[in-house]
Amino acid sequence: MSGDRSTLMITPARTITSVLVANRGEIARRVFRTARSLGLSTVAVHSSADATAPYVGEADAAVHLPGNAPGETYLRADLVIEAARRAGADAVHPGYGFLSENAPFAAAVVEAGLTWIGPPVEAISSMGSKIEAKKLMAAAGVPVLAELTPAEVDSSDLPVLVKASAGGGGRGMRVVHRLEDLAAEIDAASAEALSAFGDGTVFCERYLATGRHIEVQVLADQHGTVWAVGERECSIQRRHQKVIEESPSPLVERLPAMRAELFDAARKAAEAIGYVGAGTVEFLADESGRFYFLEMNTRLQVEHPVTESTTGLDLVALQFAIASGEALGGEPPAAVGYSIEARLYAEDPARDWQPQTGTLHRFELPGSTFAPGGPREGMPWVRVDSGVDSGSEISPYYDAMLAKVVVWGATRGEAATRLAGELSKAKIHGVRTNRDLLVRTLRHPAFLAGDTDTAFFERHGLKREPAATARSAEPEVAGLAEPLADPATEDLSAIVAALADAARSRSQAKVQRGLPAGWRNLPSQSQKKAYSVGDSTYEVHYRATRDGWVVDGDLEVVDVNSELVVLDVGGVRRRFAVAAYPGLVCVDSALGSVALAPVERFPDPAQQIAAGSLVAPMPGTVIRVGVEAGDSVKQGEPLVWLEAMKMEHTISAPADGVVVELAVSAGQQVEVGAVLAVVQGPEGVDG
């Protein structure tokens, strides 16, 4: 019943025929993929916002959970169990996130007579509190970082990490460097944890700013066998959330004796709580190989594909097998090769990882979708696990992850090079993503050298780094969050967009369709179009002549139609693919992908926003307002807090001034671009 049946011994099993996945998006599709291969029928649950999501259409049956917010849909255990009953499911797979580590939900599933595809309720409970989990692990001989109660922290303990006892995924976490900030950060972390997990309990521990995040995949059956199935390194993180994961760990490869110690600690952790099923024991390690228990995730991890790629196992199939009563064999298969996974998010890394919403007009990635296992020899292999397709709407209600792109290679360098190349060639139109950040990271010398601690982005910078001195001959170093396409490529892309638009207009003309737009029998002045890319504007001048198109610059127009433009640039022929959407033109080439917004020649005055206005950068919920109309504020002072896509965002004063208008209140839903407040500077100058 697994990806490698030779590793299982069949025992009397409880029959599973139909599984409900108590989740959404990518992980629901992933579980469905294996369930179908095992001959099981599948049941989806979905919110109103997810009614047309790909996973819903792929299920054999789907049950609507009215509403959009997780609290009224995917976090409603009673509704999920009732959906299983109505659809005739006899098993529930929790996926990850939402209710996956909720012991009362697991207990309710079992009490309803359904098979729970997860660990025992007691095991979930014992790991549900990070405070109690660390005590259990210390007693079992697993290394732990000493817990600090907030009242115990003094200046000698700094910096400390405030953590939510009941949470994960970076929610309810704060790094504190100054003792005077501790109380406020504890309050903020507690409030976020209460909102996200229903439990505001927090604790502190010593913060290792440059630690390595290493975890061990464990599998345990109902007969006492515990496997440690390879380690993963997940040190490339933003906001305490993983971005790039890989197996094996570069640190453990450098310190091979560390692997046996990690595996032994992970098995001890699982045995200490009578664990059954798939789980992950997470550790924080330093460069010398010392490691400390962080937490145990009593579920499947987002990054499980890299373990599947290097071992050939189907971890979801093994979850079904173990839940049915089957036994694991003596030893797991040995890992072969190297696998790296990149999480593709709808977000803007250069703007504090701001999540993005909207229509995903085109989403084309290479690779085999949700293919468990992986090659054991041969050429690099690409796998894509995604919850979206072309045309999907990215809503503000859920996590911003669009897909996981996974590559296997015979060497780590081969895997990194292939993954960067495949990502750079992907066509992603409609929302801004972290794709260029991922590509730059995978190609960065420090990453390729295995120098990948949790402070990677802070150490290597998201923004462009200037030369060391004003007279230095050294070029500026591109920041990791900068686009792969440079200004010269953006300029070329604007030319391409203008030419393709002219060709499109001509093809749609009712008369003289064969002539290019703007063509004149006699020489005439150039046509003009303008496009914006971020804060830059590019103006294009072009003419249609008897001999074809003429544009300014050292280039020749070789061929033009509405979807493809070929240019000869300085003697090098280049092809540019063009896709036009309302208010957006996307140009893809080997030089990089560029998203351009046509600049209106005569903008509508009614659409102009008053100076000094603070607008919502994304749709979301106002969770807190820190000022009132008439208050004086300082530049950088937090004014409004928004929650969107499982992340909290602070809107701060752009300058010193007075809040002359406050347009929102706590609990209010806002759309992108909505005015939140207006700050007026000294003597009537807008902030």
Side-chain angles (χ1 to χ4, degrees), residues 447-467:
F447 179 86
L448 293 173
D451 184 11
T452 55
D453 60 42
T454 53
F456 188 90
F457 291 139
E458 287 76 11
R459 286 197 295 120
H460 297 290
L462 293 174
K463 295 183 170 58
R464 182 172 292 273
E465 299 176 11

Side-chain angles (χ1 to χ4, degrees), residues 206-564:
R206 186 164 57 92
Y207 177 59
L208 301 182
T210 57
R212 309 280 284 240
H213 188 124
I214 299 174
E215 60 190 32
V216 179
Q217 175 71 58
V218 295
L219 286 165
D221 63 20
Q222 300 175 32
H223 311 281
T225 299
V226 179
W227 280 0
V229 194
E231 85 282 349
R232 300 183 287 252
E233 180 158 340
C234 313
S235 298
I236 306 294
Q237 301 181 3
R238 58 96 168 103
R239 290 192 167 195
H240 308 293
Q241 293 179 322
K242 303 160 189 174
V243 177
I244 294 176
E245 303 104 337
E246 59 183 306
S247 183
S249 156
L251 177 65
V252 177
E253 287 285 276
R254 179 164 59 83
L255 304 169
M258 182 182 176
R259 181 168 288 121
E261 296 175 2
L262 276 169
F263 286 9
D264 181 59
R267 283 189 291 262
K268 284 180 180 177
E271 290 165 353
I273 60 172
Y275 199 79
V276 173
T280 299
V281 187
E282 301 195 354
F283 300 96
L284 189 64
D286 62 24
E287 291 298 321
S288 71
R290 291 191 299 260
F291 59 87
Y292 308 93
F293 173 83
L294 281 177
E295 62 184 358
M296 184 174 185
N297 292 129
T298 53
R299 53 171 169 79
L300 200 65
Q301 292 280 87
V302 177
E303 57 274 17
H304 75 273
V306 296
T307 297
E308 294 185 326
S309 300
T310 51
T311 62
L313 294 172
D314 181 337
L315 295 177
V316 176
L318 285 165
Q319 286 186 295
F320 281 114
I322 291 168
S324 298
E326 298 183 22
L328 297 169
E331 293 292 334
V336 176
Y338 295 77
S339 183
I340 305 176
E341 171 183 292
R343 299 192 193 186
L344 188 65
Y345 284 103
E347 66 183 14
D348 187 349
R351 288 177 169 79
D352 196 28
W353 314 101
Q354 194 177 99
Q356 307 290 301
T357 59
T359 302
L360 193 59
H361 297 298
R362 181 177 292 184
F363 192 68
E364 296 177 4
L365 290 165
S368 302
T369 305
F370 299 102
R376 306 307 299 272
E377 57 185 43
M379 294 296 292
W381 169 87
V382 184
R383 163 179 167 176
V384 176
D385 286 15
S386 173
V388 297
D389 288 331
S390 295
S392 291
E393 287 292 328
I394 310 305
S395 80
Y397 300 108
Y398 314 114
D399 186 87
M401 190 174 74
L402 301 177
K404 305 177 307 196
V405 185
V406 189
V407 161
W408 178 93
T411 67
R412 183 174 181 270
E414 182 181 88
T417 300
R418 179 67 181 272
L419 181 52
E422 298 294 354
L423 283 167
S424 69
K425 290 183 287 188
K427 288 184 171 61
I428 307 168
H429 299 167
V431 298
R432 185 173 290 121
T433 73
N434 66 334
R435 183 258 301 276
D436 290 356
L437 170 88
L438 295 172
V439 173
R440 286 197 181 278
T441 300
L442 290 163
R443 291 174 175 169
H444 197 283
F447 179 86
L448 293 173
D451 184 11
T452 55
D453 60 42
T454 53
F456 188 90
F457 291 139
E458 287 76 11
R459 286 197 295 120
H460 297 290
L462 293 174
K463 295 183 170 58
R464 182 172 292 273
E465 299 176 11
T469 67
R471 297 183 179 181
S472 172
E474 293 296 321
E476 292 185 345
V477 178
L480 291 170
E482 296 215 1
L484 294 173
D486 58 18
T489 300
E490 292 176 354
D491 189 23
L492 276 178
S493 298
I495 293 170
V496 166
L499 294 174
D501 182 57
R504 186 179 306 105
S505 297
R506 189 67 258 158
S507 69
Q508 296 170 353
K510 294 182 179 179
V511 296
Q512 296 183 325
R513 189 171 297 175
L515 295 178
W519 185 85
R520 297 290 185 273
N521 191 40
L522 298 173
S524 178
Q525 66 182 13
S526 297
Q527 300 282 89
K528 183 171 68 175
K529 290 184 184 294
Y531 297 89
S532 64
V533 182
D535 297 328
S536 302
T537 300
Y538 298 92
E539 196 170 88
V540 181
H541 298 264
Y542 62 95
R543 286 185 296 117
T545 72
R546 297 174 185 271
D547 300 320
W549 298 96
V550 175
V551 296
D552 295 340
D554 181 23
L555 58 86
E556 175 187 346
V557 181
V558 178
D559 191 20
V560 173
N561 64 52
S562 61
E563 296 180 350
L564 178 69

